[in-house]
Amino acid sequence: MAPNSIHWFRKGLRLHDNPALQEAVRGAGTIRCVYFLDPWFAGSSNLGVNRWRFLLQCLDDLDSNLRKLNSRLFVIRGQPANVFPRLFKEWEISRLTFEYDSEPFGKERDAAIKKLAMEAGVEVIIKISHTLYNLDKIIELNGGQPPLTYKRFQTLISRMDPPEMPVETLSSAFMGCCITPVSEDHSEKYGVPSLEELGFDTEGLPSAVWPGGETEALTRIERHLERKAWVANFERPRMNANSLLASPTGLSPYLRFGCLSCRLFYFKLTDLYRKVKKTSTPPLSLYGQLLWREFFYTAATTNPRFDKMEGNPICVRIPWDKNPEALAKWAEAKTGFPWIDAIMTQLRQEGWIHHLARHAVACFLTRGDLWISWEEGMKVFEELLLDADWSVNAGSWMWLSCSSFFQQFFHCYCPVGFGRRTDPNGDFIRRYLPVLRGFPAKYIYDPWNAPDSVQAAAKCIIGVHYPKPMVNHAEASRLNIERMKQIYQQLSRYRGLGQVLAISEALMLDEKAWLTLSCSSPVTPHQLTLGIAHSDLWLVCSWLAMETQFMKPQIHSACADAASRDSLEIYSE
Amino acid sequence: MKSIFSPTQSRAKRQRTGQGVSASQSHVPDWGSLPHHIVLHIFQYLSLVDRARASSVCRCWNDVFHIPELWRRFEFELNQPATSYLRSTHPDLIQQIIKRHAQHLQYVSFKVDSCTESAEAACNILSQLVNCTIKTLGLISTARPSFMNVSQSHFVSALTVVFVNSKSLSSIKIDDTPVDDPSLKVLVANNSDTLKLLKMSSCPHVSPAGILCVADQCHGLRELALNYHLLSDELLLALSSEKHVHLEHLRIDVVSENPGQTQFHSIKKSSWDALIRHSPQVNIVMYFFLYEEEFEPFFCDETPVTHLYFGRAVSKDMLGRIGLNCPRLVELVVCANGLEPLDEELIRIAERCKSLTAIGLGECEVTCSGFMEFVKMCGGRLSQLSIMEEVLIPDNSYSMEQIHSEVSKHLGRIWFPDMMPTW
């Protein structure tokens, strides 16, 4: 008897390049595509209205595309673990398919569902299509650990076979005799809810700058490639004032929700490059955006504490400040720095900001100015940013706050200067902070320095109509650079496993060599500097090592942290 | 880690101490009767918590736990749950140290979070360190500088307890604190023979006269960190007097709150020259956090700076001046410049700064050809070449891919620009 299939949509909200969906349909008698919405009421989730709207638009789009194939999307309230058993019985299911989810919680959830399904006699088919590669293979190639530097990751990728080709879009022909039984009351029972039904007040809500859905994604990718072809330049585009604004060729939210297949994007980029450049080997940098995404997915897949500082083997323990007031000012665009506030306003209003804008606000919150934990920033991005999923969001925040991946940190984004250099006229500020419209370009990035007459003419008195700057950036950044140095000085004596591997990677030493080096004698910053003389990573710069004279002799920490169990003399008396 | 004692030695020890059990009956060493100095040696490898656990095993180990040797150094961590994610040193432990081990302490540091209470707690502990011979003292704020919120009189009186009683202070780190001139006088009056290192960046209550007093009296001072407004010609001359040892390390922070608010004085070339004549190996580290237009007074003449860090934007002109006037430059870090290529300035630096071994460039622009020329000229001596990806501008001669391979070839190692996630 031909099986009855369920295809379970989580990400991968598309009909193109969906091998799991194909397996659901192949030789099946019936196919039902489900999506679980839980919590049903958005109020109990951390996600903002833009995220929900995007998702609902994706679901609507799926539903309408499935209708063209005489099928429908089944949106189900509740938890998969609770509802699946009932569905298996009710629909007499013998096959369940879904796209592989590499995130630790996803894997746990899926393992439970798999067990449930097998107990119910349901065949489970899982296919990889949310990432370019099988992430476990990358980890295997790296000796069982995910690569912790982007350079190492690139090296590994270049040694692997290229990603698998995207599979064809689900079509009527492919469906063949496979049908979807749709009841009269389908829309009431399984229809896509509206924002209002989820508890959002949509009065006055501006239309979406980033409309969700596979159809939109596929239109965008064509536009994206057209523009690349027209420019005939595959180098990273130079940043200018325009880059800050939402682009009709932007793809990151669609990749996150899976409306656009990353493999499709990869191969279209490759084809275009070959056509335009008439050579056959595109450089890795062509796929920059996709590879960063892949890098963070790989780093996160085996680490359930990837989004935390405590108990996360790859995260440096930094003594961040707990300061809810300051955090709120940052999140609500009330820092008094127009550049930061404009970016955070765009983020809240539209759900997307340029990657350099992300660097600017992330640096300001963490290691640059406020010295607040990256976990807090990550939560705000999770709420507001359309393309922020667990792995990429946490990974990027750790990177930008210099908590991991051995990112050098000498460079700090100035909340005044950086914006000024990017958009000298200040149009971006005026667009998102209309209260500052009257300021001339000279003062729009630091309006508190404007003479009273200028403020009066702009009808905006700083401290009254727009907040004063919440920190003194020069002092704050001076202090925070010192903090970071203190931490990295101690890090040079730390031999926790995660760090060791990253260090050995950074030094291009094999792990054994490093462990020998570090166990035979305490590693002084001097030795570390020597060790990295042949590396290209600025791990413990000599300008940091310079300041270590004070640290003799070793000070014990009172807090028994297994990581800091290190009683070795660095300097002899 | 070489073994503490070989198996034959341990048997011999047991036989010597007449421990009843013969070698044939038991192969388990009697840990409880290990000599004190052995236990001490082992304890020195353990963390405090592990040592504390071990100390409750038997009287011998308990005695060893309290041996002064193990209490020479301590780091007090003072955090409040409302302001910090980190734990605090247990108050009972603090009490125990003050009661039993205060006189053993020699190397002490205090790490406080951004809560004023934590800084006040540190001051309270300091006030009780009366019978100590402290050599190293560090007051470190791990987030916002909470020592600045403590009342100045409370802070100063606590600090001077240590200054007066220790009489052998060698290293003091009191950045971002309300220390003042009178306290420095007390420091000098009691510790002028032993003081080697003083770090006091961002101490707004100290005046140039206050620090001059230190330089005049403490002839063993080897390392000094302070803000630019405390630097004077007299200070440099005092540090170069005959009686003074060679200075090893001088760190100067130049910080400005708002453009035009602070006037920066200049230092005479002759003062710098005197310093270098007296201490030819000295490292002079300067951190700049200024607006572009405030750099005028700097680098007009030859300046012997070795490590330069520009925390905000620095102009093309200034980088040109640095190439001209900083022959001793070892490290250069530029967080930001502007939108004009810095090719010329970099090449001049490569030409004239023969000691340059590290360079870091943030938001700047350099053409790939200009960068290649720079690397060809001084790549061989650069141990750190940290260039952010966006800095390099591909041109007709070089693309980004070519830069990567060419630079790697010249450096003799794999080199990439620094990358940031682009998603």
Side-chain angles (χ1 to χ4, degrees), chain A residues 51-66:
Chain A
R51 289 273 298 244
W52 278 107
R53 175 167 51 180
F54 193 94
L55 173 65
L56 295 180
Q57 286 171 339
C58 291
L59 298 179
D60 269 327
D61 192 61
L62 263 184
D63 191 37
S64 93
N65 286 335
L66 282 168

Side-chain angles (χ1 to χ4, degrees), chain A residues 558-560, chain B residues 48-49 74-79 87-98 125:
Chain A
C559 290
Chain B
L48 182 58
V49 147
F74 200 81
E75 183 164 82
F76 292 93
E77 293 192 51
L78 302 162
N79 301 309
R87 284 168 293 171
S88 216
T89 309
H90 201 282
D92 291 346
L93 176 57
I94 296 178
Q95 279 316 303
Q96 202 186 85
I97 292 173
I98 294 174
I125 299 171

Side-chain angles (χ1 to χ4, degrees), chain A residues 113-124:
Chain A
I113 299 298
K114 202 169 166 189
K115 185 157 178 280
L116 225 141
M118 309 240 288
E119 280 164 10
V122 175
E123 178 198 10
V124 178

Side-chain angles (χ1 to χ4, degrees), chain B residues 251-269:
Chain B
R251 168 175 165 160
I252 305 158
D253 284 7
V254 193
V255 186
S256 156
E257 186 161 334
N258 283 307
Q261 256 181 19
T262 323
Q263 293 308 316
F264 292 103
H265 61 285
S266 29
I267 299 291
K268 295 195 194 115
K269 182 174 184 309

Side-chain angles (χ1 to χ4, degrees), chain A residues 273-571:
Chain A
Y273 186 88
R274 286 184 183 149
K275 232 193 314 201
V276 173
K277 294 277 190 180
K278 304 197 188 344
T279 67
S280 59
T281 25
L284 274 181
S285 55
L286 179 67
Y287 313 106
Q289 189 180 13
L290 289 173
L291 292 181
W292 275 105
R293 179 180 172 271
E294 200 88 0
F295 169 71
F296 288 124
Y297 278 129
T298 313
T301 184
T302 51
N303 184 354
R305 294 197 66 86
F306 191 69
D307 63 340
K308 304 262 185 301
M309 179 174 78
E310 289 297 324
N312 183 351
I314 63 159
C315 186
V316 177
R317 288 179 86 227
I318 296 176
W320 303 114
D321 196 19
K322 274 193 198 174
N323 191 341
E325 278 167 49
L327 173 63
K329 285 187 184 164
W330 175 83
E332 291 162 23
K334 297 192 168 87
T335 65
F337 289 90
W339 172 237
I340 303 295
D341 292 340
I343 294 170
M344 294 305 285
T345 304
Q346 183 187 32
L347 175 60
R348 191 171 290 274
Q349 281 178 6
E350 299 179 9
W352 176 92
I353 48 178
H354 188 274
H355 72 262
L356 286 176
R358 295 175 204 206
H359 299 173
V361 299
C363 182
F364 186 87
L365 181 72
T366 58
R367 66 188 174 86
D369 294 77
L370 299 186
W371 200 252
I372 288 176
S373 168
W374 59 270
E375 290 181 62
E376 299 297 339
M378 178 189 76
K379 287 177 202 157
V380 173
F381 269 29
E382 188 185 16
E383 181 197 342
L384 301 175
L385 186 61
L386 288 174
D387 59 33
D389 67 13
W390 190 82
S391 313
V392 178
N393 195 20
S396 307
W397 273 95
M398 277 194 279
W399 187 292
L400 294 172
S401 61
C402 289
S403 299
S404 191
F405 309 115
F406 288 96
Q407 176 60 17
Q408 51 71 29
F409 61 87
F410 71 84
H411 171 252
C412 180
Y413 291 96
C414 175
V416 174
F418 183 43
R420 190 174 269 156
R421 283 183 288 277
T422 309
D423 175 17
N425 210 36
D427 296 323
F428 180 75
I429 309 281
R430 292 196 190 86
R431 184 192 178 109
Y432 290 101
L433 298 176
V435 67
L436 296 175
R437 269 204 193 122
F439 278 93
K442 182 170 180 193
Y443 292 111
I444 198 164
Y445 287 98
D446 53 351
W448 61 90
N449 283 328
D452 292 339
S453 54
V454 175
Q455 293 186 30
K459 296 201 179 53
C460 176
I461 309 298
I462 301 305
V464 177
H465 305 104
Y466 181 75
K468 290 200 182 133
M470 67 184 289
V471 288
N472 170 359
H473 174 69
E475 258 308 305
S477 51
R478 181 203 65 83
L479 250 167
N480 292 334
I481 272 281
E482 268 314 294
R483 307 284 168 260
M484 271 302 175
K485 275 174 52 179
Q486 283 163 22
I487 289 146
Y488 274 77
Q489 276 167 5
Q490 290 199 295
L491 189 68
S492 68
R493 296 171 225 141
Y494 176 41
R495 296 176 305 179
L497 181 64
Q499 314 290 7
V500 166
L501 292 173
I503 293 173
S504 69
E505 201 173 288
L507 298 181
M508 313 284 188
L509 296 176
D510 70 270
E511 191 196 311
K512 283 213 197 73
W514 172 256
L515 286 170
T516 319
L517 171 69
S518 62
C519 286
S520 61
S521 59
V523 181
T524 65
H526 178 61
Q527 281 177 304
L528 202 57
T529 314
L530 283 183
I532 61 170
H534 296 288
S535 137
D536 48 271
L537 269 187
W538 194 316
L539 182 59
V540 175
C541 329
S542 47
W543 68 275
L544 300 183
M546 275 317 305
E547 309 270 5
T548 58
Q549 294 297 329
F550 176 76
M551 295 309 278
K552 69 172 161 182
Q554 173 64 19
I555 307 280
H556 289 296
S557 169
C559 290
D561 171 27
S564 62
R565 179 190 304 203
D566 183 353
S567 56
L568 303 167
E569 308 280 346
I570 298 290
Y571 301 91

Side-chain angles (χ1 to χ4, degrees), chain B residues 311-345:
Chain B
R312 292 185 102 142
V314 59
S315 68
K316 203 161 146 49
D317 284 340
M318 204 50 49
L319 291 172
R321 267 200 225 174
I322 285 161
L324 270 179
N325 290 325
C326 301
R328 294 180 83 231
L329 195 64
V330 169
E331 290 191 17
L332 175 64
V333 177
V334 177
C335 278
N337 167 253
L339 299 168
E340 281 182 67
L342 294 173
D343 297 14
E344 263 183 51
E345 287 73 17

